[in-house]
Amino acid sequence: MAFSDKILQKSIDPTVHQMLDRAEQAGIETVWDRYEKMLPECGFGELGVCCRNCNMGPCRISPFEDEGPQKGICGATADIIVARNLIRMIAGGAAAHSDHGRDLAHTLLLTAEGKSGGYEIKDEAKLAALAKEYGITADGRTKEEIALDLAKAVYAEFGKQEGPLQFTRRAPQKRVDQWQKMGIDPRGIDREIVEIMHRTHIGVDNDPVNLILQGLKASIADGWGGSMVATEISDVLFGTPEPVRSEANLGVLKADHVNIVAHGHEPVLSEMILAACSDPALVAKAKGLGAKGINLVGMCCTGNELNMRHGIPLAGNFMQQELAVITGAVDAMIVDVQCIMPALGDLCECFHTQFISTSYKAKFPGAVHMQFNEENALSIAKEIVGSAVDNYANRVPEKVFIPEEKSDCMVGFSAEAIIKALGGTLDPLLDAIKSGAIKGIAGVVGCNNPKIKHDLGHVGLVKELIKNNVLVVTTGCNAIATAKVGLMLPEAADQAGDGLKGVCQSLGIPPVLHMGSCVDISRILNVCAAAANALGVDISDLPVAGAAPEWMSEKAVSIGAYVVSSGIFTVLGTVPPVLGGPLVTEVLTQGANDVVGAAFAVETDPVKGAGLMIAHMDAKRKALGI
Ligand code: XCC
Ligand code: SF4
């Protein structure tokens, strides 16, 4: 099939071309069309100089020094406005991740009390390790008793008035000392987020640097707090991921099965949907309607959670959520929270797809709401899946077109799994780094964004890194992008430089390791902390770097902030709305080095972005004398 240039330039993924062509023929709009209609995007917003924090405004600062307003009505300068807006983005992102973490803590609490409907404690070893970390005695107690104490302790981290957060103490001592010196060692997670909202209210904090420090503090409470809680408790409840084979891209949908897409973020829901999909009565019902079975696939981070733990196929990343519906083969799109486009409602009306929302926190126009709760989790999940199965009868075969493309992948590289693959310690990895076989480790993460050719940022940057012997660890929509192009197969070692190729071949692992969903960036922090501790250095001394080539969400802003606060140089592939504040821009790209030993760079070209990361690793290697 030949596609127009207009379509080809939107993505590197052939399934996207096919679905956009179909959308165009059917006169259906997608995120790309809405993006084009939005152009030119608001220049004040792009620069971050628009303020709506009080009703004397809205105010916007002129980008020209000798023309137009240079201060808001209250007197706020461009830098003050930019800093306030930026840390409000961090508050939004940290709140989203941490509320996800809180939901897991809640599920653990109910499970320990015997009140949850269908969950159990799957990873007792992790439960014991976490209990020890929190000083909870395990001797002679049942797993439920231990879990109850742990759940209460973890729950308390959110509302704690004074610090520290327990998991922050996994960071090297030097890092913690530096956080304390700068006043950014966080207290309770909720408290830091609330303090951002307070400080950015009109007439409170009007020092751009002071504002940014609070942003960093809240972001640390996300990365080493809320997100880490989400990851660790998910592992306790659902099992710590281990390497497993799976598949990725829209080709995982099946014409002869009931197709259910689980989209959103929290495994609390998706784990039960998975359990319901193998319920014999529901499978029989699907067969009774002429389907061969029930095919559950994942989208975005809920997809990553299912994929890492159970090898459930990944249907696609953020920009593919509408395209899945456009195949005409999705009987239900089941969502919970985060990254779910409200556009899905209208779109599903053009097809038979049932759009099912499940969280009271996230309702959508055009969705059927089926409220999920942990107490009756399995029975509600069965109802939801039952509804999807019923809807198979409404599928219109002439409207079905499923692209063939999908790739195999090997996923499930939790920190524990990586250490296991290395033979029980990090030493072989550290030795490979010391010998130069591996130049360094890059964490490449984050969303899709129509500002960048879909997946080009992700795949272009990752390919350049592995070619230069950089081991890549990934989460979120980058993980899905790299899985789709086969970079998560051991055979992809052929695309790596000789050093990395040798290491991957001897261990039988891919050069790009899937570490999970976006909250699982906490797994990357843990690996970095363990490596730094093993070498007796700080994280900022390691030859490591981060990148978010196609980021768009507020969560990504919080992630970037905590990764930099952890001492890791980070490259952003889309421009953050800060350039209107020269001081803020300087602090983020330079000054942060003096505060946390790392800073941001912005580079929209993926190959050049990789180049910046490689240069950074070379400099760190030199400083370490390796
Ligand atoms: Fe969302 Fe987590 Fe971004 Fe993908 S990467 S678009 S945040 S699904 Ni987290
Ligand atoms: Fe304008 Fe200041 Fe109010 Fe913002 S807080 S809208 S800059 S007056």
Side-chain angles (χ1 to χ4, degrees):
M1 243 184 286
F3 301 109
S4 66
D5 279 353
K6 189 171 170 252
I7 283 179
L8 291 173
Q9 79 196 14
K10 290 189 166 64
S11 175
I12 61 168
D13 181 340
T15 72
V16 175
H17 305 149
Q18 293 163 59
M19 289 301 110
L20 287 181
D21 188 54
R22 246 172 94 78
E24 204 174 271
Q25 282 171 25
I28 294 169
E29 68 162 31
T30 65
V31 56
W32 283 276
D33 301 304
R34 294 187 297 274
Y35 170 66
E36 273 159 28
K37 278 188 199 156
M38 198 57 68
L39 295 174
E41 291 185 302
C42 170
F44 296 103
E46 268 178 348
L47 293 172
V49 293
C50 167
C51 182
R52 288 189 298 107
N53 291 12
C54 90
N55 205 29
M56 292 192 284
C59 302
R60 73 262 181 283
I61 306 299
S62 166
F64 308 108
E65 257 174 47
D66 40 8
E67 201 188 310
Q70 296 300 309
K71 284 181 179 165
I73 296 167
C74 67
T77 61
D79 273 310
I80 293 171
I81 294 174
V82 167
R84 284 197 303 219
N85 289 342
L86 178 72
I87 75 168
R88 279 199 171 194
M89 290 183 89
I90 293 176
H97 280 149
S98 299
D99 221 28
H100 168 168
R102 187 193 327 261
D103 284 347
L104 266 308
H106 182 234
T107 307
L108 183 65
L109 187 72
L110 291 176
T111 304
E113 291 172 341
K115 291 184 192 156
S116 74
Y119 302 97
E120 53 185 312
I121 292 155
K122 290 233 176 88
D123 191 338
E124 289 188 52
K126 185 153 240 180
L127 174 70
L130 294 175
K132 191 164 169 232
E133 219 174 333
Y134 274 91
I136 295 163
T137 16
D139 290 353
R141 304 177 74 203
T142 66
K143 60 180 180 179
E144 285 75 19
E145 286 167 341
I146 303 167
L148 185 62
D149 281 358
L150 179 67
K152 285 181 181 163
V154 168
Y155 231 174
E157 299 278 33
F158 292 87
K160 209 171 180 179
Q161 294 311 311
E162 296 304 328
L165 299 177
Q166 187 58 45
F167 289 149
T168 57
R169 294 326 190 233
R170 293 177 172 185
Q173 191 57 46
K174 281 186 190 167
R175 181 86 342 220
V176 174
D177 291 345
Q178 182 64 13
W179 287 342
Q180 287 180 332
K181 191 172 147 213
M182 302 314 301
I184 57 172
D185 184 23
R187 301 157 297 179
I189 298 158
D190 293 346
R191 181 168 187 183
E192 302 307 350
I193 295 165
V194 167
E195 195 169 308
I196 287 183
M197 299 314 283
H198 177 194
R199 289 213 211 175
T200 54
H201 185 277
I202 180 185
V204 186
D205 197 352
N206 286 283
D207 178 331
V209 175
N210 208 38
L211 283 161
I212 290 171
L213 286 171
Q214 178 58 25
L216 299 184
K217 194 173 183 179
S219 77
I220 296 168
D222 174 359
W224 297 86
S227 287
M228 211 168 272
V229 165
T231 298
E232 298 291 25
I233 304 299
S234 295
D235 285 354
V236 169
L237 285 168
F238 311 125
T240 303
E242 286 177 16
V244 57
R245 290 271 179 162
S246 187
E247 295 177 326
N249 216 347
L250 288 174
V252 302
L253 294 168
K254 294 179 181 169
D256 52 7
H257 280 64
V258 172
N259 289 306
I260 298 180
V261 179
H263 175 22
H265 279 77
E266 298 184 10
V268 173
L269 172 71
S270 53
E271 287 281 332
M272 281 299 142
I273 297 293
L274 173 63
C277 283
S278 54
D279 179 73
L282 289 169
V283 174
K285 192 176 183 187
K287 290 188 173 159
L289 290 170
K292 289 213 172 117
I294 304 173
N295 181 38
L296 175 67
V297 300
M299 176 76 57
C300 285
C301 282
T302 257
N304 286 323
E305 299 271 0
L306 285 169
N307 183 246
M308 287 277 285
R309 290 201 178 84
H310 308 285
I312 295 296
L314 290 162
N317 52 11
F318 179 71
M319 293 292 269
Q320 287 174 288
Q321 54 187 286
E322 291 171 293
L323 309 183
V325 176
I326 296 173
T327 63
V330 174
D331 302 297
M333 172 81 86
I334 302 169
V335 305
D336 55 5
V337 292
Q338 302 170 21
C339 303
I340 300 141
M341 291 190 195
L344 288 175
D346 280 349
L347 179 65
C348 286
E349 270 168 30
C350 305
F351 296 87
H352 81 297
T353 306
Q354 213 178 31
F355 180 25
I356 305 175
S357 57
T358 60
S359 167
Y360 70 92
K361 294 177 201 168
K363 297 196 174 182
F364 299 84
V368 181
H369 189 76
M370 299 178 82
Q371 182 59 48
F372 182 77
N373 70 57
E374 292 85 343
E375 288 88 341
N376 306 306
L378 188 56
S379 67
I380 300 172
K382 283 183 189 170
E383 252 176 68
I384 296 172
V385 171
S387 173
V389 171
D390 285 339
N391 196 34
Y392 178 77
N394 298 321
R395 200 189 283 180
V396 187
E398 307 80 70
K399 275 197 173 183
V400 173
F401 177 81
I402 303 172
E404 279 173 13
E405 288 82 359
K406 59 181 174 180
S407 171
D408 288 332
C409 52
M410 182 197 245
V411 303
F413 290 94
S414 57
E416 291 83 348
I418 291 176
I419 289 172
K420 207 164 154 194
L422 292 168
T425 79
L426 271 183
D427 291 345
L429 178 63
L430 298 177
D431 291 342
I433 292 175
K434 284 183 202 157
S435 77
I438 291 179
K439 187 188 283 287
I441 303 175
V444 190
V445 305
C447 326
N448 294 134
N449 187 326
K451 290 178 177 174
I452 288 192
K453 186 173 186 173
H454 171 242
D455 286 351
L456 176 69
H458 289 310
V459 173
L461 186 120
V462 167
K463 280 192 172 168
E464 184 67 14
L465 287 171
I466 64 169
K467 208 163 79 186
N468 285 280
N469 295 314
V470 175
L471 176 68
V472 174
V473 292
T474 168
T475 67
C477 289
N478 177 277
I480 302 172
T482 46
K484 287 189 295 176
V485 296
L487 286 168
M488 282 179 182
L489 285 168
E491 301 87 280
D494 289 341
Q495 299 179 53
D498 286 342
L500 177 61
K501 185 175 164 180
V503 174
C504 290
Q505 284 174 342
S506 72
L507 296 171
I509 59 169
V512 180
L513 302 180
H514 193 336
M515 293 196 77
S517 65
C518 293
V519 292
D520 292 338
I521 292 169
S522 64
R523 299 189 198 274
I524 302 180
L525 295 180
N526 285 332
V527 170
C528 288
N533 285 332
L535 296 170
V537 299
D538 194 356
I539 296 173
S540 55
D541 298 319
L542 300 172
V544 300
E550 305 182 22
W551 76 275
M552 60 87 199
S553 73
E554 288 175 327
K555 289 181 287 173
V557 181
S558 180
I559 292 167
Y562 74 65
V563 170
V564 166
S565 298
S566 302
I568 302 170
F569 168 68
T570 298
V571 177
L572 303 176
T574 66
V575 185
V578 300
L579 298 185
L583 174 64
V584 173
T585 305
E586 196 280 334
V587 168
L588 296 176
T589 55
Q590 295 292 330
N593 280 311
D594 302 327
V595 180
V596 289
F600 287 99
V602 178
E603 177 52 68
T604 55
D605 178 310
V607 174
K608 286 187 192 158
L612 293 175
M613 297 164 81
I614 292 163
H616 174 80
M617 290 174 193
D618 284 334
K620 293 293 171 185
R621 295 183 63 88
K622 207 170 158 203
L624 282 173
I626 56 174

